[in-house]
Amino acid sequence: MHELTGLRSVIEHYREKGEVVEIEREVDSECELSGIISALNSLPTTPGVLFKKVKGYDFPVAACILSEKDRTCQILGLPSSPLEFKEAFIKLAQNLIPPVKVGSGPCKEKVYTRDFDALKIVPSIKATPDDGGRYFQPIVVTKDPETGVQNAALNRAMLLRDNTVILNVRNETGVGQCFRNCKKEGKPFEVALVIGAPLEMYISGATKLPLGQDELSLAGAVRGSPVEVVPCETIDVHVPAEAGFVIEGVIEPPYELGTEGPWPEFLKYLSIPQQKPLLKIKALTLRKDAVGYAIVAGTKENYNLRISNDVEFYRYVKAIEPNFVIDAALTPGTAHWHHGIIQVKKDDYDFEGLQVHVAMAAFGFSVYLETITIVDEDVNILDMNEIDWAVTTRCDPAQQVHIIREVKAHRNNPIAGARELLDGSFVGKAKMIIDATVPWKYKNLKSGANRPVFERARFKKVDLKEYLSPHDHRRWIKN
């Protein structure tokens, strides 16, 4: 496994392996670049991509490096087996390595504090013709004024003009908490937008850690050594020394708002425009060989950035009933957020009903979570065909589907957000528990063949090597 030494070295590593394509011709960052990313994501296997010439900018832009799960696991240095990945990631999260402060670093090779326009220097993209504007997709680094603890997260920023962007601050996140605490004290909210950082920092920034934990400490645990951070020029925030671009800004009282959006959300709909705070850019620092990074919502990479959500969901649910819950995952089709699958071992009468109790408690994981499906231990929770089979054959909706009405949700799901547009109602919807476990009263029910009714048909196990020619075996059987 190669060492995690920065974005450029990772790109070069996978370019040499044939897993990164380089586009030499000039590409327009307005819709064309994202169109190429979308087309690459329609391929069975998506390569990383480096756009070497981006119209209007002096820096290349990379994308899709994290599009494939196996490649993402390699970059993180973690096993690709789903359950092993979860257990390994949990160990990292339990052994955080705090950042170490240094005096300077590559991100300080060029420093702008006056007479500059960051919006023209740092590559941004417009993903679709219907977007509200051009966007950065940065790691947002902030500091809580009450605790002094930094937070790193992924929040989009829509470009306006005159070194001003609109930052998509979400109340339920660590960034949102830092912003609320600043407003409570009437203080300016200092923000650093980090672009083109090492990729484990993007994964860490997308991870749902408990409030008060610094995600850069998780990045340190992933790489096995502390992230070196340097002080910003104009704000009291420390940022990764290896970053490509660092945009320093302030949201100043009275915290002026602007209309942010639309922008494609990870559920593949355009976002509902919202009023979000204006960030005034005060400084820009960068490295001479900086590489921009573009993330398009609803792509494989966008979903893989959230794979750590599976880890946190598994840990959360496992802690509810550790001897009952076997595994848990969030579905990739909902960007590892909105639909949770919980696998349980209901091997005793006293466990009947416990699956619904666990599912109800699991909704506390996140306001995004809207549907929970519970399955038995013989169902592969990562195979939606298996989930569909279990729901169809083991769930009587009249008895095993539970609806919880009028619950807070998130507006990025339009069925929850539309009601706010229609009549000003709160953003919410019903939430649902689908119990696709075999009811205990049927567990030992047998058919005419004296086999349990809910046991799958059994086939004789054979070794195809004994039946296929060597040529056919090589062609069809993967070793």
Side-chain angles (χ1 to χ4, degrees):
M1 174 57 200
H2 65 286
E3 294 182 359
L4 293 168
T5 54
L7 178 58
R8 270 197 175 273
S9 65
V10 170
I11 293 171
E12 181 60 22
H13 174 84
Y14 286 103
R15 186 193 67 78
E16 292 178 354
K17 292 182 65 175
E19 295 185 37
V20 170
V21 297
E22 295 181 310
I23 295 181
E24 300 283 350
R25 60 173 285 183
E26 185 178 73
V27 173
D28 196 330
S29 61
E30 186 164 318
C31 300
E32 185 180 18
L33 186 146
S34 59
I36 296 169
I37 291 173
S38 177
L40 289 172
N41 272 267
S42 69
L43 301 176
T45 301
T46 298
V49 59
L50 180 65
F51 300 95
K52 301 183 79 170
K53 298 176 183 176
V54 181
K55 184 177 179 181
Y57 299 106
D58 295 328
F59 299 94
V61 173
C64 301
I65 309 298
L66 300 175
S67 288
E68 293 300 321
K69 177 81 176 291
D70 285 348
R71 193 161 62 227
T72 300
C73 291
Q74 289 172 13
I75 290 170
L76 296 177
L78 296 176
S80 58
S81 167
L83 195 52
E84 289 180 4
F85 176 88
K86 292 173 189 173
E87 295 294 349
F89 202 96
I90 286 171
K91 288 181 180 178
L92 292 177
Q94 292 171 339
N95 295 278
L96 302 177
I97 300 178
V100 60
K101 295 178 181 179
V102 297
S104 189
C107 72
K108 298 287 190 179
E109 289 175 352
K110 287 190 176 182
V111 177
Y112 300 90
T113 57
R114 53 185 295 180
D115 301 326
F116 72 99
D117 188 346
L119 309 189
K120 292 182 179 179
I121 298 172
V122 183
S124 60
I125 67 168
K126 185 176 183 182
T128 81
D130 303 306
D131 292 355
R134 303 176 68 86
Y135 275 83
F136 296 133
Q137 302 89 37
I139 301 169
V140 176
V141 183
T142 60
K143 179 184 287 188
D144 190 313
E146 294 184 355
T147 65
V149 176
Q150 290 202 165
N151 184 87
L154 302 187
N155 296 80
R156 63 181 182 258
M158 190 178 93
L159 281 61
L160 294 180
R161 66 189 68 81
D162 301 326
N163 273 336
T164 303
V165 301
I166 305 176
L167 186 62
N168 185 262
V169 178
R170 301 193 301 275
N171 285 332
E172 72 276 8
T173 65
V175 172
Q177 177 176 291
C178 293
F179 184 39
R180 290 196 306 275
N181 288 342
C182 279
K183 287 198 293 184
K184 186 168 60 178
E185 299 180 15
K187 293 181 177 180
F189 183 42
E190 299 181 331
V191 178
L193 308 181
V194 177
I195 298 170
L199 293 173
E200 71 274 13
M201 297 181 193
Y202 281 88
I203 293 282
S204 299
T207 298
K208 181 180 168 62
L209 290 180
L211 293 176
Q213 289 189 1
D214 183 357
E215 287 75 10
L216 292 182
S217 296
L218 177 59
V222 169
R223 58 168 47 187
S225 61
V227 174
E228 292 187 345
V229 294
V230 296
C232 287
E233 298 294 313
T234 60
I235 59 176
D236 184 22
V237 173
H238 283 74
V239 293
E242 301 168 71
F245 304 91
V246 177
I247 298 170
E248 303 176 16
V250 178
I251 299 173
E252 299 171 327
Y255 314 109
E256 181 182 356
L257 303 177
T259 301
E260 185 273 315
W263 169 260
E265 287 281 9
F266 50 69
L267 289 178
K268 302 182 180 180
Y269 294 95
L270 286 175
S271 65
I272 297 172
Q274 304 168 64
Q275 294 298 299
K276 296 292 182 180
L278 270 59
L279 178 76
K280 303 289 187 179
I281 296 172
K282 302 299 183 182
L284 167 67
T285 69
L286 54 89
R287 54 192 301 163
K288 294 177 181 178
D289 63 349
V291 178
Y293 206 80
I295 301 167
V296 174
T299 60
K300 297 176 189 176
E301 178 163 61
N302 183 215
Y303 294 169
N304 278 337
L305 278 167
R306 302 283 178 186
I307 59 173
S308 58
N309 275 3
D310 270 4
V311 178
E312 296 305 314
F313 182 61
Y314 166 74
R315 178 162 59 172
Y316 186 92
V317 176
K318 186 77 172 174
I320 298 169
E321 288 290 343
N323 296 320
F324 180 61
V325 173
I326 298 173
D327 201 356
L330 297 163
T331 61
T334 64
H336 298 284
W337 265 129
H338 296 264
H339 185 182
I341 313 295
I342 301 175
Q343 184 186 57
V344 300
K345 188 172 184 178
K346 195 169 60 174
D347 59 358
D348 188 274
Y349 168 75
D350 282 341
F351 285 152
E352 184 63 277
L354 187 58
Q355 69 275 16
V356 179
H357 166 80
V358 168
M360 291 178 67
F363 279 120
F365 173 71
S366 172
V367 71
Y368 287 87
L369 192 56
E370 296 168 358
T371 301
I372 293 177
T373 302
I374 319 151
V375 297
D376 291 303
E377 69 269 25
D378 65 331
V379 177
N380 180 358
I381 65 171
L382 302 180
D383 185 341
M384 287 308 295
N385 290 327
E386 287 259 312
I387 304 300
D388 189 23
W389 171 84
V391 170
T392 301
T393 65
R394 298 180 174 183
C395 175
D396 177 356
Q399 303 294 324
Q400 294 169 259
V401 173
H402 308 275
I403 305 297
I404 309 167
R405 301 183 183 278
E406 296 295 293
V407 186
K408 174 68 176 175
H410 198 279
R411 61 174 48 82
N412 66 11
N413 185 347
I415 199 64
R419 48 194 276 164
E420 182 184 38
L421 288 176
L422 185 64
D423 58 14
S425 299
F426 81 99
V427 177
K429 63 188 285 286
K431 300 201 174 184
M432 178 168 60
I433 297 171
I434 302 171
D435 180 4
T437 63
V438 176
W440 183 259
K441 62 185 177 181
Y442 297 144
K443 275 282 189 177
N444 297 312
L445 185 65
K446 295 184 178 180
S447 66
N450 203 33
R451 299 296 308 168
V453 170
F454 286 92
E455 182 180 278
R456 304 188 201 210
R458 298 175 299 164
F459 295 90
K460 181 179 179 179
K461 293 186 180 298
V462 299
D463 184 354
L464 288 176
K465 192 173 184 179
E466 297 178 7
Y467 301 89
L468 302 180
S469 70
H471 174 269
D472 286 340
H473 189 270
R474 286 193 301 271
R475 180 181 179 188
W476 296 106
I477 308 299
K478 294 182 179 180
N479 294 324

